[in-house]
Amino acid sequence: MNSLENVLMVSPLHLLAYNGHRNTLEFLLKHKLCGGDVDVKDINGRTPLDLACFQGETSCVKCLMAYGAQFDSHDSLNERTPIHAAVYNNNEECLKAISNAEYDKLRTESSTDYDYEDIEDHFGAKVNNDLNRINACGADDDDDDNDIVIDSRVKRVVKPAAEYGEVNGKISNVRDKHMRTPLMMAVEQGHLNTITFLINYLGADVLAVDEKKRSALHRAAALGYEECCVAILKADGSAVWQRDLNGLLPIHYAVLAGHANLISMLFDYHNLNGIYQQQQQQQQQLQQEQKDDVNKFDRLIELNGFSLLHFASFHGHSTCAETICEMSQQYPFLAEMLDERVDPTVAIIYNKFSPLHCACLNSHDICLNYFLDYFADRKPFLIELDDNNLNRPLHICAINNETDCAQILLDAGCEMSCANKNGHTPFMLAAAYNSFSIMELLLTVSEERRAKNGALSTLDLNQVDAKGNSALHLALLNQHENCALFILDRIDASNGQLIN
């Protein structure tokens, strides 16, 4: 029989398990016609149990487990196990079969000889319920936790839940090459029933993280699976506070992917309202005592100081931005980076590249317009926000030639001649980055403002930066011929010579 193996190293056991031929599979195993190795591997390191679990062939899984197949055997590709294979295709019955087989193995190896009946469908939580029910009916509270409890009503001997938990943990928390558990894989596939089974019956660790510190909840939030999020949070609500290697919480993943429906639900589990009030009281007390301690309240900010509103704006998820802004009415800290009245000790914890800068960077004019409308009373402050390099939103538009956002800012009355840390105005940056449309827009608005206000143009083409370079110099230095010619055509000779 061994000679039947082909160049792919697929044994007869693999073929039988994959196609669900349980009787023939048992015949070969019983008579050891395939070398006696139930865990023989193919070219990818997969065992017959791997293939049976992947295909959902429960009868073959039971047969292979009865002959000693290992559920934690890792393949050579991603080091996944038969458990991962069963979870991937939502084959819950295969998980039950493996769990039952491991229970049987445990009781066989037990030093105490007790008679057991089949306990199929009686997993972790069910055992706990049985124990509670039995003890409530008169079991001795002083009994040691390792005692055997006999339920005379069902004529079944129940082993302590702790032993079942040990088996469950081995099954549900095996890891692959990237440290992913079966629960994480179930979440990625959106298999809610398997997720529930892994958590409630096999005791899967919902706080387990992969090599990038991402949990099952991170995955559920990123994919927008609300019911999966609820199932995980019911098991352990502290999962909302887990951060990945980049300092991102699950709620950040929800915002990044634009799942506005998850924001308020995840936010509720943070229970931030009470914490916020407590921290505000502590901060006021510190101020009264004239201490310089910075407010340590966790405002759901990642490592670089970006908030939920930053993420929503950067990715153009206007619905998420609206949800967060509306929630800021009850929880002001959600939008405090857009409030000029915020305490300076708090303002410094945010990245100065504001949500408005983020919107302008990627031409998300809907988000930008929403911010200016929703916070209309703060508009003069918002349009002149600057980052660490003193770049205002209009500077960002000039660099990226984002005319739609620039038009919104100019209509709101933003200043055009403002200079950043290097002395560059938006017009200079437009010339330096070949943002021809921005140059045209700025000159047009400048002329309109001059005509309307009866004053000189607000745009000085001869203005120089910190190194003495004008917009014309910058255009020529970067070989933007069209921008240079555009400037030359519009220089007013009456204003004096060009900068040399």
Side-chain angles (χ1 to χ4, degrees), residues 214-468:
R214 296 173 300 191
S215 67
L217 186 59
H218 281 96
R219 289 166 163 78
L223 295 168
Y225 296 148
E226 185 173 356
E227 291 181 335
C228 296
C229 288
V230 172
I232 294 169
L233 289 169
K234 283 183 177 180
D236 194 332
S238 67
V240 294
W241 288 109
Q242 288 185 285
R243 293 182 180 270
D244 67 8
L245 286 179
N246 295 316
L248 299 182
L249 297 161
I251 196 170
H252 289 125
Y253 277 70
V255 175
L256 281 168
H259 301 306
N261 60 309
L262 295 182
I263 296 176
S264 58
M265 187 270 289
L266 291 171
F267 189 85
D268 288 342
Y269 275 90
H270 282 278
N271 191 26
L272 289 175
N273 189 28
I275 299 176
Y276 179 61
Q277 293 176 352
Q278 180 182 0
Q279 293 288 343
Q280 289 294 85
Q281 293 173 359
Q282 292 177 356
Q283 185 184 22
Q284 292 173 2
Q285 182 178 358
L286 288 173
Q287 290 174 345
Q288 291 173 358
E289 296 174 358
Q290 296 183 346
K291 292 185 178 180
D292 296 328
D293 299 41
V294 176
N295 191 335
K296 300 299 182 182
F297 169 65
D298 192 330
R299 287 169 161 78
L300 308 182
I301 305 172
E302 54 84 66
L303 296 180
N304 295 310
F306 291 112
S307 67
L308 298 179
L309 211 51
H310 282 89
F311 285 113
S313 181
F314 183 85
H315 292 278
H317 299 313
S318 56
T319 305
C320 291
E322 292 175 14
T323 301
I324 297 168
C325 287
E326 290 171 0
M327 291 172 62
S328 72
Q329 296 298 316
Q330 183 177 0
Y331 307 100
F333 68 88
L334 289 174
E336 63 186 353
M337 77 295 298
L338 300 181
D339 191 346
E340 59 184 329
R341 299 163 298 181
V342 67
D343 191 307
T345 61
V346 173
I348 61 174
I349 68 177
Y350 290 101
N351 195 301
K352 292 199 69 177
F353 198 83
S354 72
L356 277 77
H357 288 84
C358 293
C360 292
L361 180 64
N362 293 317
S363 192
H364 298 314
D365 54 300
I366 296 178
C367 288
L368 177 63
N369 206 35
Y370 176 79
F371 291 142
L372 296 180
D373 286 343
Y374 192 84
F375 301 108
D377 57 326
R378 309 178 193 175
K379 185 180 294 185
F381 167 73
L382 295 178
I383 59 178
E384 306 298 352
L385 281 170
D386 53 35
D387 62 13
N388 289 326
N389 294 315
L390 302 184
N391 285 316
R392 300 184 184 183
L394 189 59
H395 285 93
I396 304 302
C397 292
I399 293 173
N400 294 282
N401 201 27
E402 302 293 355
T403 54
D404 291 337
C405 290
Q407 185 68 65
I408 294 173
L409 293 168
L410 291 168
D411 289 344
C414 73
E415 184 182 348
M416 289 192 294
S417 59
C418 53
N420 64 14
K421 184 181 292 186
N422 296 318
H424 294 144
T425 65
F427 188 81
M428 291 179 183
L429 289 177
Y433 286 89
N434 199 27
S435 300
F436 190 80
S437 298
I438 291 291
M439 295 175 67
E440 288 184 315
L441 176 62
L442 291 173
L443 279 175
T444 299
V445 173
S446 177
E447 293 170 358
E448 291 175 352
R449 289 184 179 181
R450 179 173 57 180
K452 180 178 180 181
N453 300 326
L456 293 176
S457 171
T458 57
L459 195 61
D460 182 6
L461 300 185
N462 286 328
Q463 186 172 344
V464 296
D465 62 15
K467 295 182 179 181

Side-chain angles (χ1 to χ4, degrees), residues 79-325:
E79 298 183 13
R80 293 178 180 172
T81 66
I83 303 299
H84 290 93
V87 167
Y88 184 84
N89 280 340
N90 203 25
N91 295 323
E92 181 182 327
E93 293 301 318
C94 292
L95 295 177
K96 290 181 180 180
I98 292 174
S99 184
N100 279 331
E102 287 300 305
Y103 291 150
D104 292 339
K105 181 179 178 181
L106 176 66
R107 79 179 183 212
T108 300
E109 295 175 351
S110 176
S111 59
T112 306
D113 186 18
Y114 288 96
D115 292 331
Y116 287 80
E117 293 184 2
D118 183 28
I119 57 170
E120 184 171 2
D121 295 328
H122 292 282
F123 300 100
K126 182 68 169 70
V127 172
N128 283 326
N129 290 338
D130 287 343
L131 290 175
N132 292 335
R133 178 166 52 83
I134 294 168
N135 291 332
C137 293
D140 188 358
D141 292 338
D142 295 328
D143 286 348
D144 185 74
D145 289 340
N146 293 323
D147 287 349
I148 300 298
V149 179
I150 301 178
D151 186 347
S152 59
R153 287 165 292 183
V154 296
K155 303 299 182 182
R156 181 164 57 86
V157 179
V158 182
K159 286 289 287 183
E163 295 188 19
Y164 289 119
E166 181 181 353
V167 173
N168 290 342
K170 291 180 180 179
I171 295 174
S172 61
N173 295 316
V174 291
R175 306 290 187 121
D176 69 3
K177 178 180 179 180
H178 302 290
M179 298 300 291
R180 290 175 295 191
T181 64
L183 178 61
M184 296 176 191
M185 184 169 290
V187 169
E188 290 172 2
Q189 301 303 316
H191 299 323
L192 181 60
N193 60 324
T194 299
I195 292 170
T196 303
F197 180 79
L198 287 168
I199 294 174
N200 295 339
Y201 292 94
L202 294 185
D205 182 7
V206 298
L207 300 180
V209 296
D210 62 15
E211 61 185 5
K212 295 183 178 179
K213 302 297 182 183
R214 296 173 300 191
S215 67
L217 186 59
H218 281 96
R219 289 166 163 78
L223 295 168
Y225 296 148
E226 185 173 356
E227 291 181 335
C228 296
C229 288
V230 172
I232 294 169
L233 289 169
K234 283 183 177 180
D236 194 332
S238 67
V240 294
W241 288 109
Q242 288 185 285
R243 293 182 180 270
D244 67 8
L245 286 179
N246 295 316
L248 299 182
L249 297 161
I251 196 170
H252 289 125
Y253 277 70
V255 175
L256 281 168
H259 301 306
N261 60 309
L262 295 182
I263 296 176
S264 58
M265 187 270 289
L266 291 171
F267 189 85
D268 288 342
Y269 275 90
H270 282 278
N271 191 26
L272 289 175
N273 189 28
I275 299 176
Y276 179 61
Q277 293 176 352
Q278 180 182 0
Q279 293 288 343
Q280 289 294 85
Q281 293 173 359
Q282 292 177 356
Q283 185 184 22
Q284 292 173 2
Q285 182 178 358
L286 288 173
Q287 290 174 345
Q288 291 173 358
E289 296 174 358
Q290 296 183 346
K291 292 185 178 180
D292 296 328
D293 299 41
V294 176
N295 191 335
K296 300 299 182 182
F297 169 65
D298 192 330
R299 287 169 161 78
L300 308 182
I301 305 172
E302 54 84 66
L303 296 180
N304 295 310
F306 291 112
S307 67
L308 298 179
L309 211 51
H310 282 89
F311 285 113
S313 181
F314 183 85
H315 292 278
H317 299 313
S318 56
T319 305
C320 291
E322 292 175 14
T323 301
I324 297 168
C325 287

